[in-house]
Amino acid sequence: MTIGVVIAGIAGLFAYAAGWLTPNALTPARIVNTLEEVNGRHPGFRRNHAKGVCVSGYFNSNGRGTELSKASVFQPGRMPVIARFSLSGGQPEAADAPDTVRGLAILFTLPDGEEWRTAMINLPVAPFRTAEGFTDLVLASAPDPATGKPDPARMQGFFARYPESAKAMELIGSQPLSSGFENSRFNSLSAFRFINAAGSVAWVRWSVAPVQPEPVATTRLDGTNKNWLFDALIASIHSQPLAWHLIVTVAQAGDPTDDATIPWPADRRQIDVGTLTIDRVESEDTSPARDINFDPLVLPNGIAASDDPLLSARSAVYSQSFTRREGEPKNPSAVSTAETAR
Amino acid sequence: MANGPTQFAVLSRILHWLMAAMLLTMLFIGVSMVASLGDYHRLVAIHRPLGIMILILAVVRLVNRMFTTLPPFPPTMSDWERRVASASERFLYALMFALPLVGWGMLSAGDYPIVMFGPLHLPPLLPANRMLYAVLRETHTVLAFLLFATFLAHLSAVLFHTLVVRDRLVHRMALWSIRFHKAKIETD
Ligand code: HEM
Ligand code: HEM
C-alpha cells in the first residue's frame, strides 16, 4: 500500500514535470504543431523560414569588439562563416514577395572549436514580445480560406490582446523596405550580454548593415519568377562578394533588455566590430547549412543570453523543428542547385 | 558467506546515492526542459554537463565494482529474485553509460557544439549526419524512459523487502555503517 503510493507519487510527479497533465499549456511541440496546421506539413523543411538559400564566406574581426566581449570571435582575425538567407513563413514553395520578412542566419566557426550562431531578420523590432504572441500572430494571420488573405477581424483581435505588437507594427510600417536581400540590414532584435576579459557586462543588440547600398545585380527579374528575390541575390554573389558590417549597439541603464518590440534610442553607442563577406552561394540541396539548427543560443564564452523571453523559447522551438525535419525524407529546395549555379 | 561483508563498500554506497540523485534529477530536468519555453535554455545548460559528470562517475563506479567484494544477497531473496536483481543492476549500469553517450553522440550528429561551461566544450563523438541525429534523439528519449521504469521497479523491490519482508535490505546500501546489525542478519 505505502509502496504503491510512493511509486504512484513519483510517477505522477514525473508526468507533471513532462507536461502530460497540462495539455493546454503552450510547449515547444505545440507551437510547432500550430506552424504545421497553418502551413501544412512539408517534410524535411524548416517549420518557419522554410524557403532559403545557403551561402558561405568569412568574417574579418577588427578587434574592436574585445572591449566589450572576451569571445574569441572578436579577436582580430578572419574566421569562416556559413549562413542562410530565408523568407519567413512555413511554406517552402511560397513565391518571393517584397514584404515577406527576410532572414539571415549565420554560423561563425571560432578558432578554438567554439561556435556562434545567430538568426536575424530585416525588421527594426520584433512584432511580438513572447512565444505566446508569436503563436497567436501565426494563427491570426493565417489566410482565410474564403479570401486567401488574413481575416482583418482576427488581426484586430490580436492587436487588442497584444498592444506591444500593435506599437511594433506601427514602427515597422513606418520604415522603408529595402529592395533585396543584398541591401537589407538584419537585426538580432533580442538583447544579449557581452562579458569582457575583466568580467564587466554590457547589454547589447547587434545588426549586420549592408556595405552595398543598391542591389548589385542589374538583372532584376520580373514578377513571373517566383524566386526573383533569391535569384537577384544569387546573381549579385556571382558578380562580386557581398559585405555587411557587424554593428554592436550598447544599451544604457533603463533600456529594455527583455522586450524586443521596443527599439533602443537612436543615439546609443554603436561599434563596428568587423566585416562579414559572402562570396559563395549554394542550394540547400547540397549545403551542410540545411542540416544546421541556427539556434540563437549557441553562443561562445563571452556572449550570453539576456532576460528576453524570446530567446529561450526560440531555442526550445527551433530544436523541436530541427528534430522533426532531420528525421524526415528530404525534398528538393525551391531554390535549386541549377539556379544557384547560374 | 558468513565472513563476507554485509554492506557495500563505503565508496560504492556514496556513489550509489550520489548517482541516484543525479540520475533522477536528470530525468526530471530532461522531461521538463523539452516541455518548457521559458526555462529550456537554463535547464539544458545544466543537463549537458551534469550528464557528462554522470558518465565520468559511471566509469569510476564500474571500476570500483570490479575491485570490491559485493555483499551476498540476503537469504530472504529467492533464486528468481536474485536473478532479476542482478539483471536489473546490469541494465542500470548499461543505461548509466548509454544515456550520456547517446546524448553526446546525438549532439555531435546534429552538428551542434557540445558546450559544457565557459569556453569548455567536448569534441564531437560522431560525424554530423541527419538520420543519425534523428535516431539517436529518439533513442535518448526511449532509454530515459526505460531508466525511469527500471528505477521504479528497483525502488518497489527494495521497499517491498524493507517494509514488507522486513529484512533490512536497504541497509546494505545505507550511507552509515550498520555493523551492529551484522549478527542479526547472519543468524536470520
Ligand atoms: C518565439 C518566437 C519565434 C518562434 C516560435 C520562431 C520559430 C522558428 C522556427 C520553428 C524556425 C525553423 C527552425 C529550424 O527548423 O531550424 C525558425 C527559423 C528562423 N527564425 Fe524564428 N521564431 C521566432 C522568433 C524569431 C525572431 C524574433 C527572429 C529574428 C530576430 C527569428 C528569425 C528566424 C530566422 C532568421 C530563421 C531561419 C533560420 C535558418 O535559416 O535556419 N525568429 N523560427
Ligand atoms: C546521464 C543521463 C541522462 C539522462 C537521464 C538524460 C535524460 C534526458 C531526458 C529524460 C530527456 C527528455 C527526452 C524527451 O522527453 O524527449 C533528455 C533530452 C535531452 N538530453 Fe539528456 N539525459 C542524459 C544525458 C545527456 C547528455 C550527456 C547530454 C549531452 C551532452 C544530453 C543532452 C540532451 C538534449 C540536448 C536533450 C533534448 C533537447 C531537445 O530535444 O530540445 N543528455 N535527456
Side-chain angles (χ1 to χ4, degrees):
Chain A
M1 173 58 195
T2 330
I3 301 176
V5 171
V6 171
I7 299 298
I10 298 174
L13 221 58
F14 191 71
Y16 174 75
W20 299 332
L21 308 181
T22 45
N24 292 320
L26 196 61
T27 64
R30 289 177 198 129
I31 292 179
V32 176
N33 291 346
T34 300
L35 286 166
E36 289 178 356
E37 279 153 26
V38 168
N39 298 301
R41 276 198 69 234
H42 303 284
F45 289 99
R46 286 166 167 82
R47 293 334 194 224
N48 194 10
H49 288 258
K51 186 177 187 184
V53 73
C54 305
V55 297
S56 54
Y58 49 90
F59 174 64
N60 271 328
S61 167
N62 57 26
R64 267 180 287 198
T66 53
E67 174 200 334
L68 294 177
S69 167
K70 63 186 169 193
S72 57
V73 65
F74 299 122
Q75 294 293 331
R78 169 190 282 218
M79 55 218 86
V81 300
I82 53 179
R84 180 174 175 270
F85 286 96
S86 60
L87 289 177
S88 83
Q91 296 184 1
E93 298 287 339
D96 296 0
D99 54 352
T100 306
V101 174
R102 291 166 215 159
L104 172 58
I106 310 175
L107 183 160
F108 300 78
T109 304
L110 278 47
D112 44 16
E114 284 186 288
E115 286 186 16
W116 178 23
R117 302 185 184 182
T118 177
M120 301 173 284
I121 50 177
N122 68 333
L123 300 183
V125 288
F128 38 77
R129 198 179 89 77
T130 60
E132 288 74 16
F134 170 89
T135 312
D136 283 352
L137 180 58
V138 167
L139 286 169
S141 53
D144 181 340
T147 61
K149 292 208 167 72
D151 177 348
R154 290 177 66 184
M155 283 305 282
Q156 250 174 9
F158 169 78
F159 288 127
R161 255 174 300 139
Y162 297 94
E164 73 273 19
S165 293
K167 273 182 89 174
M169 279 308 211
E170 231 170 85
L171 178 72
I172 291 166
S174 73
Q175 303 230 332
L177 210 60
S178 61
S179 55
F181 282 109
E182 314 86 281
N183 58 343
S184 289
R185 178 188 178 101
F186 295 92
N187 307 299
S188 73
L189 305 183
S190 290
F192 290 80
R193 276 178 301 143
F194 270 18
I195 302 109
N196 71 9
S200 53
V201 173
W203 298 78
V204 304
R205 288 173 174 173
W206 58 75
S207 302
V208 293
V211 170
Q212 49 286 331
E214 282 308 310
V216 180
T218 45
T219 48
R220 266 278 167 239
L221 294 133
D222 66 278
T224 57
N225 174 358
K226 72 183 181 68
N227 296 344
W228 59 274
L229 269 171
F230 283 104
D231 286 350
L233 172 70
I234 293 164
S236 297
I237 297 172
H238 283 317
S239 78
Q240 69 172 79
L242 301 179
W244 280 263
H245 291 292
L246 177 56
I247 309 285
V248 174
T249 304
V250 188
Q252 285 185 10
D255 291 345
T257 55
D258 62 350
D259 189 342
T261 65
I262 302 178
W264 288 348
D267 63 356
R268 290 297 177 258
R269 182 165 170 228
Q270 303 205 333
I271 309 174
D272 180 345
V273 298
T275 308
L276 169 74
T277 303
I278 297 296
D279 58 5
R280 276 201 55 180
V281 58
E282 204 179 329
S283 165
E284 288 190 297
D285 294 346
T286 53
S287 168
R290 184 192 66 184
D291 296 314
I292 284 170
N293 172 2
F294 289 94
D295 175 342
L297 290 181
V298 170
L299 301 169
N301 192 34
I303 307 181
S306 67
D307 46 353
D308 186 329
L310 284 178
L311 290 174
S312 176
R314 287 174 65 194
S315 191
V317 174
Y318 290 23
S319 172
Q320 178 66 223
S321 168
F322 180 70
T323 297
R324 291 192 194 182
R325 65 188 174 86
E326 294 301 274
E328 295 164 345
K330 280 294 162 186
N331 289 299
S333 173
V335 185
S336 67
T337 329
E339 231 165 316
T340 53
R342 274 206 291 272
Chain B
M1 201 184 266
N3 296 326
T6 53
Q7 272 191 307
F8 283 91
V10 184
L11 182 60
S12 312
R13 284 178 274 151
I14 293 172
L15 283 169
H16 173 271
W17 292 109
L18 181 65
M19 293 192 69
M22 288 170 80
L23 283 162
L24 206 57
T25 306
M26 282 297 281
L27 287 168
F28 275 87
I29 289 181
V31 291
S32 44
M33 75 190 183
V34 297
S36 166
L37 294 163
D39 296 323
Y40 176 81
H41 178 60
R42 237 187 313 273
L43 291 176
V44 88
I46 300 170
H47 188 90
R48 285 185 309 253
L50 192 57
I52 296 300
M53 271 304 292
I54 289 177
L55 180 61
I56 295 167
L57 287 176
V59 175
V60 174
R61 191 169 178 183
L62 186 66
V63 171
N64 173 65
R65 189 179 168 111
M66 287 176 351
F67 289 101
T68 53
T69 319
L70 306 185
F73 285 120
T76 46
M77 277 177 80
S78 66
D79 252 9
W80 74 265
E81 277 183 299
R82 292 169 189 218
R83 271 200 301 277
V84 172
S86 299
S88 72
E89 276 172 24
R90 272 196 292 276
F91 188 56
L92 285 168
Y93 265 91
L95 289 176
M96 280 186 285
F97 283 93
L99 256 161
L101 282 172
V102 169
W104 182 357
M106 86 193 180
L107 289 181
S108 317
D111 216 351
Y112 288 97
I114 299 128
V115 180
M116 295 288 99
F117 31 79
L120 190 70
H121 52 267
L122 301 178
L125 204 55
L126 295 167
N129 178 297
R130 50 188 302 273
M131 269 305 159
L132 193 58
Y133 167 78
V135 169
L136 291 175
R137 178 66 189 79
E138 187 69 38
T139 308
H140 196 67
T141 303
V142 171
L143 292 183
F145 286 12
L146 278 174
L147 172 64
F148 188 63
T150 314
F151 156 72
L152 287 183
H154 174 77
L155 181 65
S156 315
V158 173
L159 285 177
F160 177 75
H161 271 270
T162 307
L163 299 177
V164 181
V165 184
R166 294 185 178 278
D167 58 2
R168 298 195 159 103
L169 184 68
V170 75
H171 285 182
R172 286 153 50 85
M173 211 33 114
L175 276 179
W176 53 92
S177 176
I178 50 131
R179 209 159 310 149
F180 101 94
H181 291 305
K182 189 171 171 179
K184 168 139 184 29
I185 291 172
E186 277 173 5
T187 51
D188 271 351

